[in-house]
Amino acid sequence: MSPPNQETMQEMPNMPNMQMSFYWGKHGTVLFSGWPKSGGMYTLALFFVFFLSMAIEILSNQPPIRRGARPASGVTAQAVVYFFRISFIYLVMLAVMSFNGGIFIAAILGHSLGFFLAKFRAVAMANREPSDLEQKV
């Protein structure tokens, strides 16, 4: 990326030099100014984005509220899960907006694995044997 010219610097004196196209490498800014500073921190950022993306998909496929549950407790539990899911979505979006190719791939792989795990669990739950209680009724 070419450095900004003098006119641009005078118009935006406090604007950091940000990447505006995809790039590869461990040098850049992901979520926080100055982070990551080293290869180890970059690897941590990749895992952080990967697991956040995976959590988003798993939290998106939460089971419905059980029949007979108290409305306040059921809705409160779902609202708390929704709060964390939306928070994770925005964090992953901001990380991907760093335009780092590794971060982008970590987000895509995390979403894909999370979707697989959530759907695998849903299919396993649907195919499980009915309990003895359900057989008696």
Side-chain angles (χ1 to χ4, degrees):
M1 186 171 147
S2 63
N5 59 24
Q6 283 293 6
E7 292 175 19
T8 307
M9 291 302 287
Q10 289 174 354
E11 292 172 12
M12 301 179 291
N14 295 328
M15 187 72 173
N17 188 10
M18 294 181 65
Q19 186 73 27
M20 298 306 287
S21 62
F22 275 105
Y23 69 98
W24 296 97
K26 62 184 178 185
H27 302 291
T29 301
V30 179
L31 294 177
F32 306 106
S33 179
W35 190 67
K37 290 183 179 183
S38 66
M41 289 177 73
Y42 178 71
T43 303
L44 178 66
L46 291 174
F47 280 110
F48 180 71
V49 170
F50 177 81
F51 286 115
L52 274 181
S53 299
M54 204 167 67
I56 289 167
E57 292 298 328
I58 291 170
L59 293 175
S60 295
N61 294 299
Q62 61 181 328
I65 299 173
R66 290 188 206 139
R67 175 169 245 160
R70 292 184 10 207
S73 63
V75 171
T76 301
Q78 284 195 339
V80 169
V81 169
Y82 183 79
F83 170 82
F84 283 106
R85 186 175 68 88
I86 293 298
S87 300
F88 295 167
I89 287 171
Y90 280 115
L91 280 174
V92 170
M93 179 196 67
L94 290 172
V96 168
M97 286 175 59
S98 70
F99 292 103
N100 183 288
I103 295 293
F104 178 73
I105 290 173
I108 297 300
L109 291 175
H111 278 291
S112 299
L113 183 60
F115 179 84
F116 174 80
L117 292 174
K119 293 302 178 183
F120 184 82
R121 180 179 178 269
V123 169
M125 295 291 281
N127 291 335
R128 73 178 183 184
E129 296 286 325
S131 67
D132 293 332
L133 179 62
E134 292 172 347
Q135 290 177 354
K136 291 179 183 178
V137 175

